Amino acid sequence: MRVVISSHLLGKPPKKEKGAAMPVKAAKNITGPRKKIVYKKGSAQEKVDALVENLKADGYDFTVGIPIDTPITKAERVVSAGKGIGPKENMKLIEELAKAAGAAIGSSRPVAETLQYVPIDRYVGMSGQKFNGNLYIACGISGAVQHLKGIVNAGTIVAINTNPNAPIFKNCDYGIVGDVNEVLPLLAKALDTGEKKPAGPMKKVRRATVKKEKPDYAVMVCDGCGYEYDPMKGDPANGIAPGTLFEQLPEDWVCPECSEPKSNFEKA
């Protein structure tokens, strides 16, 4: 009886606000806006050819280079190895590609710390070395957050991985879905120009401007006063939760600024 009486006194608890009517937007890329051009179809050679063509179009000159042991923080280009490269003998593929690309050698943290393929001062990541140069080629690196935090300032990020769903592909400019054992020798051959000329002082390559995607919802403007109804903001003062699309507003809803009816709104 105490429960029954108290429930009558207090009444029913208010209903929880419904979740956002719109799909939740994915978080921004850890490495910032990127081109995200990923080659999945075609032969390994075709993918490599397309990648090299784009890199050259972006202004990369592969007739110049730096020593492969250049410190990561001072390197203009880096070829990094991840656990996906397999056994230690495959590090020769990384070394050959680094020489062909005129780059230094880097790695993910597990490769340096656990596998000990490279010295500990060559791993790139939030708790390791930060890469601030132009070209970063990630080979067999899945793209853990810790690693991505170390390449946010890279001019261009290239990813090579067998897993098309690896996070690295969402944080790169160019990517090749393929086996490093097949792709790296082809890429090294394509970039090999013989003996490299010493690279001069680094000139930071300008990152490509990625156009912002248009939202998949409409912002509506009041004909009377110009008030804009943004579904992402809603109208909390009048009980409209953020995430409520304009079409889902009650028919008696009016402009909070001038009280114009819902029918007097147009798309921005």
Side-chain angles (χ1 to χ4, degrees), residues 36-104:
K36 289 185 270 191
I37 300 174
V38 181
Y39 304 106
K40 299 179 181 179
K41 298 180 180 180
S43 67
Q45 186 65 61
E46 290 172 334
K47 297 173 186 175
V48 167
D49 290 343
L51 170 62
V52 173
E53 183 179 350
N54 274 291
L55 291 177
K56 290 181 177 179
D58 288 345
Y60 287 103
D61 178 9
F62 295 105
T63 64
V64 300
I66 59 176
I68 62 175
D69 60 351
T70 301
I72 301 296
T73 55
K74 297 180 180 179
E76 179 182 349
R77 304 172 188 175
V78 165
V79 173
S80 256
K83 291 178 70 176
I85 67 164
K88 188 172 183 178
E89 46 265 34
N90 282 350
M91 281 300 295
K92 65 182 180 182
L93 299 177
I94 298 294
E95 185 175 339
E96 289 170 0
L97 177 56
K99 290 178 179 177

Side-chain angles (χ1 to χ4, degrees), residues 18-22 217-222 227-257 259-267:
K18 293 182 180 180
M22 296 173 292
Y217 59 87
V219 172
M220 305 297 287
V221 180
C222 174
Y227 165 81
E228 294 185 354
Y229 176 78
D230 185 345
M232 290 299 290
K233 298 178 181 178
D235 182 14
N238 291 303
I240 307 299
T244 304
L245 295 174
F246 186 79
E247 307 86 70
Q248 297 172 326
L249 293 173
E251 289 304 317
D252 59 351
W253 180 85
V254 296
C255 174
E257 299 290 339
S259 300
E260 283 286 326
K262 180 182 173 182
S263 58
N264 288 358
F265 276 70
E266 295 181 353
K267 285 186 178 180

Side-chain angles (χ1 to χ4, degrees), residues 100-155:
I105 291 177
S107 79
S108 63
R109 181 172 180 170
V111 169
E113 193 172 70
T114 306
L115 299 178
Q116 298 181 354
Y117 289 178
V118 297
I120 199 72
D121 63 352
R122 301 216 70 82
Y123 87 78
V124 180
M126 183 168 59
S127 60
Q129 305 298 314
K130 306 296 188 297
F131 176 70
N132 298 306
N134 288 325
L135 180 60
Y136 189 82
I137 304 177
C139 309
I141 294 176
S142 62
V145 173
Q146 197 274 348
H147 187 80
L148 296 175
K149 290 283 188 178
I151 58 175
V152 293
N153 295 324

